[in-house]
Amino acid sequence: MGRATLGVIGVAFLLGIGWSVTRHENASPLPITAAAPSGHAEVAPVMDDVRSGPLPTKDADTAWRRVTSSIACLGSAGSGTVATFVVDRSAGPMRRDPDAEGSPCEHGPLRDWRTIQRELERAARLGSVEARFAYASDPLLLEERRAADVDAWASWREHAPGYLDEAIARGDARAAVLVAITRDPAACDGVSGDPRCRGRPALAWILGPDPGEAFVHYLVARTLGDTSRLVDERLVTLGAQLEPAEVDAAQARAQEILGRARP
Amino acid sequence: MRVVLVAGAVALGVWAGRAMSPDVAMPEAGPAPAASASPREPASAPAAPSGVAKAATFPALPPADVAIAPWIDELTARARRGDTGAAMRLAADLLRCEGWRPSAPDAAALATRYGRLPWQPVDYTRPASGWTSEAHARAWTRNRRAVLDRVCPGLDDTMTAQAGEWLLHAARLGDTDAMVCYAISPDAFAKPVLSDRWVQWTRRWRNEALPMMMRAYEAGDPRALEALGWAYGSARAHGLAMSPFAALVEPDPVRGTVYGELYMRLFPGQEDLPPPAWTGLDASQAREAAALFERERPRFAGRTLLPPCSALTWFR
């Protein structure tokens, strides 16, 4: 028997082990005797739709326009869940204020929030700059469906920090402020009227509190042109709380980030 | 000839792979063993979480709120032999000890000196009527901290991370409390949310939770009836936030209404309520609901209400 034959047999043996173990890991280890009976319709996870559904467009900016126009139309066309989102031009899609004005059109191109969510994620993956920021700041996923839509949330967790880093590197002050607010547990204490203080960003689940990093990103945001009261106040407050050495380190790190930025 | 050899190698590999799979080799193995000392105290008082399918042949569990580390080996062995009470005790104590660090060297002494609430039995649940005073709230918190300082020493993060696996083990052994607990609490046993651990746990949960809940339902566990009623209808009807479990099913007004009606009849004095009029459902749905109601009613005859998820009692 030649060496090549032995090699083939060896590879086949390993493939057999791999197939068997993988199959075992994927199988339910529980001998479930009572599967869900007919009539107990399970809700399809969001990501399953993403993988199996046809891609409606191939262009990132077109996809992003479909998302924004659909969200803008939800006020008049939608009801229930689909009406809970709206685009805030300064900060990307945000949760809709229930008392907000209706939108100007009757129906958007995408009427279902799941379709809109998929399109947003797709636009981001295709490279739309605005979609990436919007998706990172709010993936349009429902918190109460976090466990059921685990794949979609996991995908967002994987991509959102990178999208924000990219945005900051492009000189987008909004992304720097978003990171700062997320890292700063007291960001919105005592600040009213700033739309960026509507609730805690979903990013807080993946970017933990870190006043030093918050200070760094407030510095970056101000240098990139954000002159809001929120940023000024937090720079003063955090600057007073941090040790002088920490402030120096934060300034150095901000400079490093800004050095990479291309405003 | 070469084809035959390759096919044989694949078959041998499959066989070897199956032999390497832990659950195939040890179907009732449970989570990995944790190193610990042997028990120092005799079993005296049962403190088992309730579970419909709990085996009755095992000796009493250690008293509530004792240091659990010295009992780990015994509880582990018992759980692997099929003692669902031991598995649930491991799940509950390891979960509440997750992330625990000693409050202070003399925490227990301080708690004894200043904590005015009795040490045992400890009421883990927050007073429904709220705190009677700020001192009351402080003492309650201090008391809980003292309990953890007593229960948790000797455990490390690797051991406490196994809490969810023990819950699953109990569920697989047939404990319906564990089944319902697993199905309704995807976030409790794999913190923090959106961590790698959570993603891995939740992907498994997404596939197993509904069948697990249905097993508990078919065993006549009223906790499953309650959870299914809320999932299919009640939470949505009342405009409440959807639970993680409810997100796994589509709304179903017939099932939601029927489960709600069946659940209502578990309350004391409500057992003999007449069949409902099914208002709110159309004629077709009402017929379907009436048939489902009559079919399912015997399953819960004589059942009594049970608090959900004994493993999470500490956190209520």
Side-chain angles (χ1 to χ4, degrees):
Chain A
M1 195 181 301
R3 187 176 290 178
T5 304
L6 283 173
V8 169
I9 290 171
V11 168
F13 175 77
L14 291 173
L15 282 175
I17 290 180
W19 176 79
S20 176
V21 171
T22 305
R23 186 168 163 268
H24 175 79
E25 284 173 350
N26 289 341
S28 167
L30 175 66
I32 295 164
T33 54
S38 60
H40 286 263
E42 293 184 52
V43 176
V46 168
M47 278 301 285
D48 287 356
D49 295 342
V50 173
R51 287 171 181 157
S52 60
L55 300 179
T57 70
K58 291 182 178 178
D59 177 72
D61 291 331
T62 304
W64 170 238
R65 276 198 298 277
R66 284 160 63 88
V67 171
T68 53
S69 59
S70 298
I71 292 174
C73 288
L74 288 177
S76 58
S79 62
T81 308
V82 293
T84 60
F85 301 108
V86 71
V87 169
D88 180 320
R89 296 291 175 188
S90 66
M94 298 183 72
R95 304 282 165 183
R96 181 178 178 78
D97 180 347
D99 299 325
E101 292 290 320
S103 58
C105 50
E106 186 61 27
H107 295 293
L110 308 168
R111 298 182 199 176
D112 169 73
W113 75 267
R114 284 182 178 226
T115 313
I116 297 172
Q117 195 282 330
R118 285 176 353 219
E119 190 73 347
L120 171 64
E121 182 171 358
R122 201 176 69 83
R125 287 196 179 180
L126 288 173
S128 161
V129 168
E130 281 301 310
R132 287 191 166 192
F133 173 71
Y135 174 72
S137 60
D138 183 349
L140 299 188
L141 291 165
L142 298 178
E143 190 177 332
E144 58 263 38
R145 292 189 51 84
R146 194 173 51 210
D149 292 336
V150 54
D151 287 336
W153 278 101
S155 176
W156 172 74
R157 179 194 71 154
E158 216 171 284
H159 292 100
Y163 289 166
L164 287 175
D165 284 347
E166 282 176 19
I168 293 170
R170 278 195 315 272
D172 188 337
R174 297 174 306 169
V177 176
L178 181 59
V179 173
I181 290 176
T182 306
R183 294 287 205 178
D184 180 0
C188 296
D189 292 358
V191 176
S192 59
D194 194 313
R196 296 169 295 191
C197 283
R198 283 185 200 154
R200 201 87 188 102
L203 276 172
W205 284 323
I206 48 178
L207 301 179
D210 185 334
E213 274 298 294
F215 188 71
V216 166
H217 284 86
Y218 284 128
L219 282 173
V220 171
R222 192 173 63 175
T223 309
L224 291 177
D226 188 311
T227 56
S228 64
R229 189 176 138 226
L230 169 72
V231 170
D232 282 347
E233 283 188 0
R234 293 313 297 164
L235 277 172
V236 170
T237 306
L238 285 173
Q241 289 171 354
L242 295 172
E243 298 292 329
E246 290 175 315
V247 172
D248 290 344
Q251 283 171 338
R253 181 158 153 62
Q255 283 306 317
E256 184 191 326
I257 293 171
L258 288 163
R260 293 197 299 263
R262 305 183 305 275
Chain B
M1 176 64 182
R2 183 179 292 187
V3 171
V4 172
L5 284 171
V6 168
V10 169
L12 190 62
V14 168
W15 174 83
R18 285 174 59 87
M20 286 161 61
S21 299
D23 284 354
V24 173
M26 298 189 297
E28 298 295 340
S36 71
S38 56
R40 289 185 306 219
E41 300 175 50
S44 55
S50 59
V52 172
K54 187 171 56 189
T57 54
F58 290 94
L61 291 166
D65 299 336
V66 297
I68 200 66
W71 290 90
I72 290 284
D73 284 348
E74 181 181 325
L75 290 173
T76 299
R78 283 173 57 168
R80 288 184 172 168
R81 288 200 305 272
D83 184 349
T84 59
M88 285 297 272
R89 178 64 176 274
L90 285 167
D93 274 355
L94 293 176
L95 183 65
R96 67 173 164 168
C97 288
E98 194 173 38
W100 170 86
R101 297 291 180 270
S103 325
D106 56 349
L110 279 173
T112 308
R113 189 173 165 195
Y114 297 111
R116 299 302 181 197
L117 295 181
W119 270 69
Q120 285 184 334
V122 177
D123 179 9
Y124 300 137
T125 56
R126 292 171 191 278
S129 55
W131 308 114
T132 52
S133 66
E134 197 181 326
H136 178 206
R138 275 202 306 271
W140 182 87
T141 304
R142 199 162 43 232
N143 197 25
R144 281 169 62 89
R145 210 174 290 143
V147 170
L148 293 184
D149 284 341
R150 193 160 30 146
V151 172
C152 304
L155 302 179
D156 60 36
D157 293 345
T158 312
M159 296 156 85
T160 56
Q162 294 292 307
E165 297 301 329
W166 285 116
L167 179 86
L168 259 177
H169 185 67
R172 287 168 181 163
L173 289 172
D175 188 298
T176 54
D177 177 25
M179 292 177 199
V180 176
C181 193
Y182 173 71
I184 64 174
S185 316
D187 293 346
F189 293 90
K191 294 184 281 288
V193 161
L194 292 185
S195 62
D196 289 344
R197 183 184 172 210
W198 179 88
V199 169
Q200 190 179 10
W201 173 270
T202 308
R203 281 183 171 143
R204 183 168 57 168
W205 170 88
R206 187 187 53 197
N207 295 327
E208 292 186 351
L210 183 56
M212 194 88 88
M213 183 69 87
M214 291 314 301
R215 273 184 83 189
Y217 174 87
E218 290 181 1
D221 191 307
R223 292 167 289 212
L225 177 65
E226 181 186 14
L228 286 166
W230 280 101
Y232 281 115
S234 302
R236 290 175 168 96
H238 294 293
L240 300 175
M242 193 164 38
S243 70
F245 174 73
L248 290 177
V249 301
E250 293 286 3
D252 183 333
V254 171
R255 285 183 187 279
T257 309
V258 169
Y259 293 157
E261 290 289 344
L262 289 170
Y263 182 68
M264 197 195 310
R265 284 160 178 75
L266 299 179
F267 284 84
Q270 306 295 306
E271 301 88 344
D272 299 323
L273 281 176
W278 309 115
T279 53
L281 299 177
D282 64 30
S284 163
Q285 289 174 327
R287 278 194 301 277
E288 195 185 336
L292 182 63
F293 180 82
E294 290 307 325
R295 196 167 67 239
E296 296 299 302
R297 196 170 185 179
R299 192 189 300 278
F300 298 97
R303 301 283 188 179
T304 52
L305 295 171
L306 291 168
C309 195
S310 62
L312 294 177
T313 302
W314 172 262
F315 301 96
R316 289 195 192 103

